[in-house]
């Protein structure tokens, strides 16, 4: 940054993956950054999140932000195979539908990834217990004033930035203020999720049998397709199995500002019985032994027409709520952050509008197509109807249809935006 240039200041709302990656990308671009996060402290333990997949470019970007790049590999496991198999729940047999051995993702635990990226930030960038309340854009559109509530004291303060970055997730209140009629779209199904920690009993019958039935566990993303339902599971570092089971059902009523539902013991027991019916006993056992499984309601939304309004910009899930089937939610957030950082660096705070327009023109088309592809993949794997084709049935699907299940068909699968080169 040349001496003559004024340093820009960004106010980022949301200290999850998108927000903290954005802080790294903007600091690298020479910006002053503050991240407002309403939760009390950095997420650590069991209750926060589960597994996620990281593609090669996301891995590279994260490595560029953390001080010890090798830590990323030490904190993740390889996912080198993307395998889809049909499960016959009555006969308890599986049959491979499609297998891609050139998959090069890595599996991370959400809280581990967050911690890795967060701890590499300089101190005092993230303000925990700070709730964003509202914003106003100055008349000349050069600044944005942000109202914040400090939860510890109840005090309400203002801060001013050149740009406001909304990284406040799929229920973004900043997006809502521009698009009050924009609604999330219920996918048609919910996801039971959990992480089995088997560090205490590595040689238990459950684990040995799982490894026998699914020999590539430890490097494989296993999709099991049943009749109108599917599961996905893979291993995480430190002896953990991450699993997700998608169940078609009417939209549940959610309470509060969360897409995770409260579950009763009764619901868990029913889920266990269902797992024994639909899946191989080796997987059903893992599901049964998992402590505190939880239920996510799966939403996405119609792609937006714009993600920039004057000097306010959306990134991450705020910009593109998505279903998880493309393993892209985190990928898109990391890419958004990196592209936004490079655009700001290229144009400088003097040309903020051009920078934000460039960010939007790079990210909007890619994200929109990836969200729609992920939606389609989810509907295929759940045996749900489409306007243009029959519901997928794994027991009779053609080889050609099975090929469509693969992650590598994602639009822009290995495109690197030129601004990052
Ligand atoms: C606790 C948690 C666990 C997760 N676990 C997984 C997982 O296991 N696997 C997976 O693939 N994805 C997981 N995700 C989602 C994943 O982080 C996102 O899909 C992706 O990384 C991009 O998210 P994001 O940062 O855009 O939004 P989000 O992750 O939704 O984060 C939004 C952040 O904004 C904060 N926020 C919202 N409103 C305000 C406000 N008014 N003031 C201040 N702060 C505000 C929220 O507290 C939150 O931290 C998890 C998200 C969270 C928050
Ligand atoms: C798994 O369980 C062991 C023993 O109960 C515990 O020490 C460890 O911290 C747990 N691992 C994780 C990652 O939660
Ligand atoms: C492996 C993979 O597909 N990674 C992609 C993540 O998303 C961006 C585009 O949004 C691609 O450039 C990466 O290649």
């Amino acid at each position: 940054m040349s001496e003559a240039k004024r340093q820009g200041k960004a106010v980022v709302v949301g200290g999850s993956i998108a927000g903290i990656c954005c802080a790294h990308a903007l600091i690298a671009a020479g910006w002053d950054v503050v991240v407002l996060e309403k939760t009390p402290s950095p997420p650590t333990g069991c209750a926060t999140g589960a597994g996620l997949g990281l593609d090669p470019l996301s891995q590279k970007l994260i490595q560029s932000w953390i001080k010890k790049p090798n830590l990323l590999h030490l904190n993740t496991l390889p996912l080198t195979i993307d395998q889809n198999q049909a499960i016959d729940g009555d006969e308890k047999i599986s049959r491979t539908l499609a297998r891609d051995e050139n998959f090069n993702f890595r599996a991370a635990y959400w809280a581990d990834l967050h911690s890795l990226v967060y701890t590499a930030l300089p101190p005092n960038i993230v303000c925990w217990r700070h709730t964003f309340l509202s914003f106003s854009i100055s008349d000349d559109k050069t600044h944005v004033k942000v109202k914040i509530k400090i939860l510890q004291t109840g005090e309400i303060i203002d801060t001013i930035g050149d740009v406001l970055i909304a990284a406040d997730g799929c229920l973004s209140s900043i997006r809502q203020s521009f698009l009050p009629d924009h609604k999330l779209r219920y996918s048609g199904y919910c996801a039971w999720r959990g992480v089995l920690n088997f560090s205490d009993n590595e040689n238990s019958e459950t684990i040995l049998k799982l490894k026998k039935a699914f020999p590539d566990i430890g490097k494989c993303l296993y999709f099991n397709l049943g009749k109108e339902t599917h599961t996905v599971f893979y291993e995480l570092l430190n002896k953990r199995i991450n699993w997700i089971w998608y169940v078609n059902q009417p939209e549940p009523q959610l309470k509060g500002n969360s897409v995770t539902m409260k579950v009763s013991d009764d619901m868990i027991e029913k889920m266990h019985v269902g797992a024994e019916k639909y899946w191989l006993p080796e997987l059903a056992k893992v599901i049964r032994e998992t402590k505190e499984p939880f239920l996510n309601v799966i939403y996405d939304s119609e792609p937006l027409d714009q993600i920039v309004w004057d000097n306010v910009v959306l990134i991450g899930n705020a910009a593109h709520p998505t279903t998880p089937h493309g393993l892209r939610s985190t990928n898109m957030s990391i890419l958004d952050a990196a592209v936004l950082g490079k655009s700001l660096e290229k144009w400088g705070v003097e040309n903020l509008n051009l920078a934000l327009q460039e960010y939007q023109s790079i990210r909007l088309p890619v994200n929109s197509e990836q969200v729609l592809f992920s939606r389609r993949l989810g509907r295929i794997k759940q045996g749900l109807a489409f306007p243009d084709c029959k519901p997928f049935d794994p027991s009779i699907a053609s080889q050609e249809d099975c090929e469509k299940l693969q992650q590598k068909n994602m639009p822009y699968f290995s495109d690197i935006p030129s601004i990052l080169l």
Side-chain angles (χ1 to χ4, degrees), residues 129-143:
R129 289 181 207 264
H130 281 55
T131 299
F132 158 88
L133 295 176
S134 63
F135 69 91
S136 56
I137 299 171
S138 64
D139 290 339
D140 63 359
K141 304 198 189 299
T142 59
H143 287 88

Side-chain angles (χ1 to χ4, degrees), residues 46 197 199-200 238 240:
C46 313
N197 173 352
S199 64
D200 272 354
N238 294 333
R240 289 171 288 183

Side-chain angles (χ1 to χ4, degrees), residues 83 152 245 264 287 327 364 401:
Q83 174 151 327
Q152 228 149 356
W245 177 15
S264 62
I287 293 177
L327 276 69
L364 190 61
D401 283 342

Side-chain angles (χ1 to χ4, degrees), residues 255-311:
K255 289 192 186 67
N257 216 23
S258 163
V259 292
T260 300
M261 259 172 79
K262 266 220 128 13
V263 292
S264 62
D265 290 347
D266 196 40
M267 288 164 80
I268 295 176
E269 182 49 32
K270 281 208 181 94
M271 184 269 290
H272 286 163
V273 171
E276 274 143 26
K277 174 164 170 251
Y278 280 97
W279 309 118
L280 297 185
E282 293 85 352
L283 177 60
K285 203 80 197 298
V286 166
I287 293 177
R288 184 173 279 280
E289 289 182 12
T290 301
K291 292 198 182 94
E292 295 174 26
F294 57 103
L295 190 56
N296 277 161
V297 187
I298 306 298
Y299 295 97
D300 64 8
S301 86
E302 287 310 314
L304 305 181
D305 296 324
Q306 63 183 111
I307 50 176
V308 170
W309 289 263
D310 297 319
N311 43 1

Side-chain angles (χ1 to χ4, degrees), residues 220-376:
C220 183
L221 180 62
Y222 276 108
F223 290 96
N224 293 314
L225 280 68
K227 198 171 163 40
E228 296 171 4
T229 183
H230 79 291
T231 55
V232 53
F233 73 95
Y234 48 92
E235 189 172 342
L236 297 171
L237 189 76
N238 294 333
K239 312 290 171 200
R240 289 171 288 183
I241 303 288
N242 179 66
W243 58 266
I244 308 168
W245 177 15
Y246 297 96
V247 180
N248 294 339
Q249 60 176 81
E251 182 174 0
Q253 289 307 310
L254 276 170
K255 289 192 186 67
N257 216 23
S258 163
V259 292
T260 300
M261 259 172 79
K262 266 220 128 13
V263 292
S264 62
D265 290 347
D266 196 40
M267 288 164 80
I268 295 176
E269 182 49 32
K270 281 208 181 94
M271 184 269 290
H272 286 163
V273 171
E276 274 143 26
K277 174 164 170 251
Y278 280 97
W279 309 118
L280 297 185
E282 293 85 352
L283 177 60
K285 203 80 197 298
V286 166
I287 293 177
R288 184 173 279 280
E289 289 182 12
T290 301
K291 292 198 182 94
E292 295 174 26
F294 57 103
L295 190 56
N296 277 161
V297 187
I298 306 298
Y299 295 97
D300 64 8
S301 86
E302 287 310 314
L304 305 181
D305 296 324
Q306 63 183 111
I307 50 176
V308 170
W309 289 263
D310 297 319
N311 43 1
V312 181
V313 46
L314 311 182
I315 71 165
N317 279 350
H320 38 72
T322 185
T323 56
H325 312 291
L327 276 69
R328 263 314 185 289
S329 174
T330 307
N331 168 279
M332 290 193 285
S333 302
I334 294 170
L335 263 283
D336 288 350
V339 169
L340 181 59
K342 287 291 177 196
S343 304
L344 291 173
E345 187 176 0
K346 174 173 164 188
W347 292 100
V349 63
E350 300 77 14
N351 298 299
L352 185 63
N353 285 334
L354 292 173
L356 298 184
Q357 290 305 325
E358 176 152 23
Y359 160 77
Q360 173 171 272
S361 73
I362 295 172
R363 295 303 295 153
L364 190 61
V366 173
N367 288 336
S368 301
E369 276 196 56
Q370 294 192 335
V371 167
L372 294 177
F373 180 84
S374 178
R375 175 187 297 182
R376 194 182 165 86

